[in-house]
Short mmCIF file of all heavy atoms in Angstrom, two decimals:
data_model
loop_
_atom_site.label_atom_id
_atom_site.label_comp_id
_atom_site.label_asym_id
_atom_site.label_seq_id
_atom_site.Cartn_x
_atom_site.Cartn_y
_atom_site.Cartn_z
N LEU M 124 7.06 64.04 2.23
CA LEU M 124 7.66 62.89 1.42
C LEU M 124 8.07 61.79 2.42
O LEU M 124 7.79 60.61 2.05
CB LEU M 124 8.97 63.41 0.68
CG LEU M 124 8.75 64.41 -0.32
CD1 LEU M 124 10.19 65.09 -0.79
CD2 LEU M 124 8.19 63.72 -1.55
N LEU M 125 8.49 62.12 3.49
CA LEU M 125 8.92 61.09 4.41
C LEU M 125 7.82 60.26 4.90
O LEU M 125 7.71 59.01 5.00
CB LEU M 125 9.80 61.66 5.57
CG LEU M 125 10.24 60.60 6.72
CD1 LEU M 125 10.98 59.59 6.20
CD2 LEU M 125 11.03 61.34 7.75
N GLU M 126 6.72 61.06 5.29
CA GLU M 126 5.52 60.30 5.81
C GLU M 126 4.85 59.49 4.71
O GLU M 126 4.37 58.40 5.11
CB GLU M 126 4.44 61.37 6.34
CG GLU M 126 4.80 61.97 7.67
CD GLU M 126 3.78 62.79 8.24
OE1 GLU M 126 3.60 63.87 7.66
OE2 GLU M 126 3.10 62.48 9.26
N ASP M 127 4.82 59.90 3.53
CA ASP M 127 4.22 59.13 2.39
C ASP M 127 5.11 58.05 2.11
O ASP M 127 4.52 56.92 1.75
CB ASP M 127 4.08 59.96 1.16
CG ASP M 127 2.78 60.93 1.28
OD1 ASP M 127 1.88 60.53 2.11
OD2 ASP M 127 2.83 61.97 0.56
N THR M 128 6.46 58.09 2.23
CA THR M 128 7.34 56.97 2.05
C THR M 128 7.10 55.96 2.99
O THR M 128 7.12 54.71 2.74
CB THR M 128 8.82 57.50 1.90
OG1 THR M 128 9.00 58.43 0.94
CG2 THR M 128 9.73 56.30 1.75
N VAL M 129 6.98 56.30 4.33
CA VAL M 129 6.70 55.34 5.34
C VAL M 129 5.48 54.65 5.13
O VAL M 129 5.31 53.41 5.27
CB VAL M 129 6.71 55.97 6.68
CG1 VAL M 129 6.23 55.06 7.78
CG2 VAL M 129 8.13 56.43 7.10
N ALA M 130 4.46 55.28 4.66
CA ALA M 130 3.10 54.76 4.29
C ALA M 130 3.28 53.69 3.27
O ALA M 130 2.67 52.68 3.31
CB ALA M 130 2.15 55.83 4.02
N LEU M 131 4.02 54.21 2.15
CA LEU M 131 4.22 53.21 1.03
C LEU M 131 4.82 51.83 1.56
O LEU M 131 4.46 50.89 1.11
CB LEU M 131 5.21 53.96 0.05
CG LEU M 131 5.82 53.03 -1.00
CD1 LEU M 131 4.68 52.35 -1.94
CD2 LEU M 131 6.74 53.79 -1.88
N ALA M 132 5.98 52.01 2.31
CA ALA M 132 6.71 50.83 2.79
C ALA M 132 5.69 50.07 3.59
O ALA M 132 5.78 48.79 3.42
CB ALA M 132 7.92 51.34 3.66
N LYS M 133 4.85 50.66 4.42
CA LYS M 133 3.98 49.82 5.37
C LYS M 133 2.86 49.18 4.62
O LYS M 133 2.07 48.33 5.14
CB LYS M 133 3.48 50.62 6.45
CG LYS M 133 4.72 50.97 7.48
CD LYS M 133 4.08 51.94 8.60
CE LYS M 133 3.39 51.19 9.68
NZ LYS M 133 4.18 50.10 10.26
N SER M 134 2.61 49.56 3.31
CA SER M 134 1.50 48.96 2.54
C SER M 134 1.97 47.61 1.96
O SER M 134 1.05 46.88 1.48
CB SER M 134 1.24 50.01 1.38
OG SER M 134 2.12 49.94 0.38
N LEU M 135 3.26 47.28 2.06
CA LEU M 135 3.84 46.14 1.48
C LEU M 135 3.46 44.94 2.41
O LEU M 135 3.66 45.09 3.60
CB LEU M 135 5.28 46.23 1.16
CG LEU M 135 5.70 47.34 0.20
CD1 LEU M 135 7.22 47.33 0.06
CD2 LEU M 135 5.04 47.12 -1.19
N ALA M 136 3.17 43.83 1.91
CA ALA M 136 2.87 42.57 2.72
C ALA M 136 4.19 41.88 3.05
O ALA M 136 5.12 41.82 2.27
CB ALA M 136 1.99 41.68 1.86
N SER M 137 4.25 41.36 4.28
CA SER M 137 5.33 40.44 4.81
C SER M 137 6.66 41.12 4.73
O SER M 137 7.67 40.47 4.38
CB SER M 137 5.29 39.18 3.97
OG SER M 137 4.00 38.49 4.00
N ILE M 138 6.64 42.42 5.06
CA ILE M 138 7.89 43.17 5.01
C ILE M 138 8.01 43.99 6.32
O ILE M 138 7.12 44.72 6.71
CB ILE M 138 8.11 44.11 3.73
CG1 ILE M 138 8.23 43.20 2.47
CG2 ILE M 138 9.19 45.22 3.98
CD1 ILE M 138 8.21 43.98 1.21
N GLU M 139 9.11 43.89 7.01
CA GLU M 139 9.37 44.79 8.10
C GLU M 139 9.96 46.04 7.67
O GLU M 139 10.73 46.12 6.65
CB GLU M 139 10.42 44.10 8.99
CG GLU M 139 10.01 42.81 9.76
CD GLU M 139 8.82 42.98 10.70
OE1 GLU M 139 8.84 44.07 11.44
OE2 GLU M 139 8.03 42.12 10.69
N VAL M 140 9.47 47.22 8.30
CA VAL M 140 9.81 48.59 7.88
C VAL M 140 10.69 49.16 9.11
O VAL M 140 10.23 49.13 10.27
CB VAL M 140 8.60 49.33 7.54
CG1 VAL M 140 9.12 50.83 7.13
CG2 VAL M 140 7.91 48.64 6.39
N ALA M 141 11.87 49.91 8.85
CA ALA M 141 12.53 50.58 9.78
C ALA M 141 13.15 51.79 8.99
O ALA M 141 13.00 52.00 7.85
CB ALA M 141 13.68 49.82 10.27
N VAL M 142 13.51 52.76 9.85
CA VAL M 142 14.20 53.92 9.49
C VAL M 142 15.59 54.03 10.11
O VAL M 142 15.78 53.66 11.22
CB VAL M 142 13.39 55.19 9.96
CG1 VAL M 142 14.18 56.53 9.66
CG2 VAL M 142 12.09 55.28 9.20
N MET M 143 16.55 54.44 9.12
CA MET M 143 17.97 54.61 9.60
C MET M 143 18.26 56.06 9.54
O MET M 143 17.94 56.60 8.37
CB MET M 143 18.85 53.67 8.74
CG MET M 143 20.39 54.00 9.11
SD MET M 143 20.87 53.22 10.76
CE MET M 143 20.70 51.40 10.42
N CYS M 144 18.81 56.70 10.50
CA CYS M 144 19.11 58.09 10.45
C CYS M 144 20.38 58.34 11.24
O CYS M 144 20.92 57.60 11.99
CB CYS M 144 18.03 58.75 11.13
SG CYS M 144 17.77 58.54 12.93
N PRO M 145 20.86 59.63 11.08
CA PRO M 145 22.04 60.03 11.84
C PRO M 145 21.74 60.02 13.36
O PRO M 145 20.65 60.35 13.68
CB PRO M 145 22.41 61.49 11.26
CG PRO M 145 21.64 61.52 9.95
CD PRO M 145 20.53 60.68 9.97
N GLU M 146 22.67 59.68 14.18
CA GLU M 146 22.33 59.59 15.53
C GLU M 146 21.69 60.96 16.19
O GLU M 146 20.80 60.70 16.97
CB GLU M 146 23.71 59.24 16.27
CG GLU M 146 23.48 58.65 17.76
CD GLU M 146 23.35 59.84 18.66
OE1 GLU M 146 23.82 60.97 18.40
OE2 GLU M 146 22.67 59.70 19.66
N PRO M 147 22.21 62.12 15.87
CA PRO M 147 21.63 63.28 16.51
C PRO M 147 20.11 63.41 15.94
O PRO M 147 19.30 64.12 16.77
CB PRO M 147 22.33 64.40 15.94
CG PRO M 147 23.71 63.78 15.62
CD PRO M 147 23.36 62.43 15.12
N ASP M 148 19.69 62.74 15.07
CA ASP M 148 18.26 62.88 14.57
C ASP M 148 17.40 61.84 15.15
O ASP M 148 16.11 61.89 14.89
CB ASP M 148 18.28 62.82 12.96
CG ASP M 148 18.89 63.96 12.34
OD1 ASP M 148 19.35 64.83 12.96
OD2 ASP M 148 18.95 63.95 11.10
N ARG M 149 17.84 60.97 15.81
CA ARG M 149 16.96 59.85 16.24
C ARG M 149 15.78 60.13 17.20
O ARG M 149 14.68 59.74 16.77
CB ARG M 149 17.72 58.73 17.02
CG ARG M 149 17.04 57.42 17.24
CD ARG M 149 17.88 56.29 18.03
NE ARG M 149 17.11 55.19 18.19
CZ ARG M 149 16.31 55.03 19.25
NH1 ARG M 149 16.22 55.94 20.13
NH2 ARG M 149 15.66 53.96 19.37
N ASP M 150 16.02 60.87 18.14
CA ASP M 150 14.92 61.27 19.03
C ASP M 150 13.81 62.16 18.30
O ASP M 150 12.61 61.89 18.50
CB ASP M 150 15.53 62.11 20.19
CG ASP M 150 16.24 61.15 21.21
OD1 ASP M 150 16.22 60.07 21.09
OD2 ASP M 150 16.93 61.77 22.01
N GLU M 151 14.30 63.09 17.49
CA GLU M 151 13.33 63.95 16.70
C GLU M 151 12.38 63.09 15.78
O GLU M 151 11.26 63.19 15.66
CB GLU M 151 13.96 65.07 16.09
CG GLU M 151 13.04 66.07 15.43
CD GLU M 151 13.65 67.30 15.01
OE1 GLU M 151 14.74 67.65 15.42
OE2 GLU M 151 13.07 68.06 14.10
N LEU M 152 13.07 62.18 15.12
CA LEU M 152 12.47 61.33 14.07
C LEU M 152 11.47 60.35 14.84
O LEU M 152 10.44 60.13 14.30
CB LEU M 152 13.39 60.54 13.18
CG LEU M 152 13.80 61.19 11.94
CD1 LEU M 152 14.98 60.35 11.22
CD2 LEU M 152 12.69 61.56 10.94
N THR M 153 11.93 59.86 15.96
CA THR M 153 11.18 58.92 16.66
C THR M 153 9.89 59.69 17.13
O THR M 153 8.68 59.10 17.04
CB THR M 153 11.87 58.38 17.92
OG1 THR M 153 12.98 57.57 17.49
CG2 THR M 153 10.91 57.50 18.74
N LYS M 154 9.95 60.83 17.58
CA LYS M 154 8.82 61.76 18.06
C LYS M 154 7.97 62.01 16.79
O LYS M 154 6.66 61.93 16.73
CB LYS M 154 9.19 63.09 18.60
CG LYS M 154 8.19 63.90 19.09
CD LYS M 154 8.73 65.15 19.93
CE LYS M 154 7.61 65.98 20.29
NZ LYS M 154 8.19 67.26 20.98
N PHE M 155 8.55 62.30 15.64
CA PHE M 155 7.83 62.60 14.49
C PHE M 155 7.02 61.61 13.90
O PHE M 155 5.86 61.66 13.48
CB PHE M 155 8.80 63.32 13.41
CG PHE M 155 8.13 63.40 11.98
CD1 PHE M 155 7.12 64.39 11.90
CD2 PHE M 155 8.67 62.88 10.87
CE1 PHE M 155 6.54 64.81 10.71
CE2 PHE M 155 8.05 63.23 9.65
CZ PHE M 155 6.96 64.05 9.48
N LEU M 156 7.64 60.35 13.90
CA LEU M 156 7.04 59.24 13.24
C LEU M 156 6.11 58.40 14.18
O LEU M 156 5.42 57.55 13.87
CB LEU M 156 7.97 58.22 12.69
CG LEU M 156 8.83 58.88 11.45
CD1 LEU M 156 9.91 57.94 11.04
CD2 LEU M 156 7.86 59.14 10.27
N GLY M 157 6.33 58.72 15.57
CA GLY M 157 5.55 57.96 16.49
C GLY M 157 5.94 56.48 16.70
O GLY M 157 7.14 56.23 16.44
N ASP M 158 5.05 55.73 17.06
CA ASP M 158 5.41 54.15 17.13
C ASP M 158 5.02 53.40 15.81
O ASP M 158 4.84 52.36 15.92
CB ASP M 158 4.64 53.59 18.26
CG ASP M 158 3.05 53.73 18.13
OD1 ASP M 158 2.67 54.44 17.13
OD2 ASP M 158 2.36 53.21 18.99
N THR M 159 5.00 54.17 14.70
CA THR M 159 4.63 53.49 13.51
C THR M 159 5.75 52.72 12.94
O THR M 159 5.56 51.81 12.04
CB THR M 159 4.21 54.51 12.34
OG1 THR M 159 5.37 55.42 12.11
CG2 THR M 159 3.03 55.35 12.84
N VAL M 160 6.96 53.02 13.27
CA VAL M 160 8.20 52.31 12.69
C VAL M 160 9.34 52.39 13.61
O VAL M 160 9.47 53.36 14.42
CB VAL M 160 8.52 53.07 11.23
CG1 VAL M 160 8.90 54.46 11.39
CG2 VAL M 160 9.54 52.18 10.52
N GLU M 161 10.24 51.44 13.52
CA GLU M 161 11.40 51.41 14.31
C GLU M 161 12.44 52.44 13.76
O GLU M 161 12.64 52.46 12.46
CB GLU M 161 12.10 50.12 14.34
CG GLU M 161 13.39 50.02 15.20
CD GLU M 161 14.05 48.69 14.90
OE1 GLU M 161 13.68 47.95 14.10
OE2 GLU M 161 14.98 48.46 15.77
N VAL M 162 13.08 53.32 14.61
CA VAL M 162 13.98 54.33 14.17
C VAL M 162 15.40 53.83 14.73
O VAL M 162 15.52 53.66 15.90
CB VAL M 162 13.66 55.72 14.58
CG1 VAL M 162 14.73 56.71 14.03
CG2 VAL M 162 12.34 56.12 13.92
N VAL M 163 16.40 53.73 13.88
CA VAL M 163 17.70 53.16 14.36
C VAL M 163 18.77 54.15 13.94
O VAL M 163 18.75 54.79 12.80
CB VAL M 163 18.02 51.84 13.56
CG1 VAL M 163 19.41 51.34 14.04
CG2 VAL M 163 16.95 50.78 13.84
#
Side-chain angles (χ1 to χ4, degrees):
L124 290 169
L125 177 55
E126 287 186 289
D127 281 335
T128 299
V129 170
L131 166 63
K133 292 180 71 67
S134 74
L135 303 173
S137 303
I138 291 176
E139 295 294 325
V140 179
V142 168
M143 181 68 70
C144 68
E146 193 279 332
D148 290 358
R149 184 178 183 276
D150 289 346
E151 185 170 339
L152 269 177
T153 299
K154 183 178 179 180
F155 175 58
L156 296 173
D158 58 359
T159 60
V160 64
E161 178 187 12
V162 179
V163 180

